[in-house]
């Protein structure tokens, strides 16, 4: 399924819960927030993969050249290691399209995407 078909039914509160349970142990999203095991996600939308200053990415992520947006994140979050083989992101992914959509819509509200 494509992200655009389910965006109108996004549940931002559910996306926030998904972030806290699946992402927060490795990522922050606040402006000026630090990196953890994964990079800070502020400014994610419209950024090219592997470009957060000071974060040590895998060469696979640096070399992927992915411009992060709704659809690329939707596809990536399903199975990160399939989307970017040899990425060091140790996350199995979110199988359900609705979960990915909810998470993306939440991230848009907290990473500066809507400013």
């Amino acid at each position: 399924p494509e992200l655009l078909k389910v965006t109108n039914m996004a549940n931002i509160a559910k996306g926030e819960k998904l972030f806290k349970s699946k992402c927060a142990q490795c990522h922050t999203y606040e402006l000026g927030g630090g990196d953890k095991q994964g990079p800070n996600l502020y400014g994610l939308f419209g950024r090219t993969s592997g470009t957060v200053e000071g974060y040590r990415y895998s060469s696979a992520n640096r070399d992927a050249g992915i411009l992060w947006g709704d659809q690329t994140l939707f596809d990536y979050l399903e199975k990160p290691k399939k989307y970017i083989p040899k990425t060091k992101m140790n996350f199995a992914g979110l199988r359900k399209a609705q979960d990915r959509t909810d998470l993306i819509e939440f991230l848009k509200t907290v990473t500066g995407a809507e400013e």
Side-chain angles (χ1 to χ4, degrees):
E2 286 193 24
L3 167 78
L4 302 176
K5 294 178 182 173
V6 290
T7 298
N8 292 336
M9 300 179 298
N11 182 328
I12 292 171
K14 187 173 177 213
E16 181 176 16
K17 287 180 184 176
L18 284 165
F19 183 88
K20 287 178 179 176
S21 68
K22 305 280 186 187
C23 313
Q25 58 270 36
C26 296
H27 294 281
T28 61
Y29 55 72
E30 300 84 4
L31 175 63
D35 298 326
K36 291 182 171 183
Q37 184 174 345
N40 176 281
L41 299 178
Y42 193 86
L44 173 66
F45 293 86
R47 181 167 71 211
T48 302
S49 61
T51 61
V52 169
E53 183 95 18
Y55 183 76
R56 292 188 54 201
Y57 288 94
S58 65
S59 57
N61 199 300
R62 273 193 320 273
D63 297 344
I66 296 163
L67 183 63
W68 294 121
D70 291 25
Q71 190 65 52
T72 52
L73 281 168
F74 183 80
D75 296 340
Y76 175 74
L77 290 170
E78 184 175 17
K79 289 186 179 177
K81 289 188 181 292
K82 181 178 179 186
Y83 197 79
I84 302 178
K86 298 187 180 178
T87 183
K88 69 180 185 179
M89 183 160 145
N90 194 18
F91 176 62
L94 295 171
R95 192 171 49 92
K96 294 180 182 174
Q98 189 64 54
D99 287 350
R100 295 193 309 276
T101 299
D102 294 343
L103 178 59
I104 290 164
E105 290 304 308
F106 166 71
L107 286 171
K108 286 165 67 175
T109 69
V110 295
T111 61
E114 297 188 343
E115 294 178 357

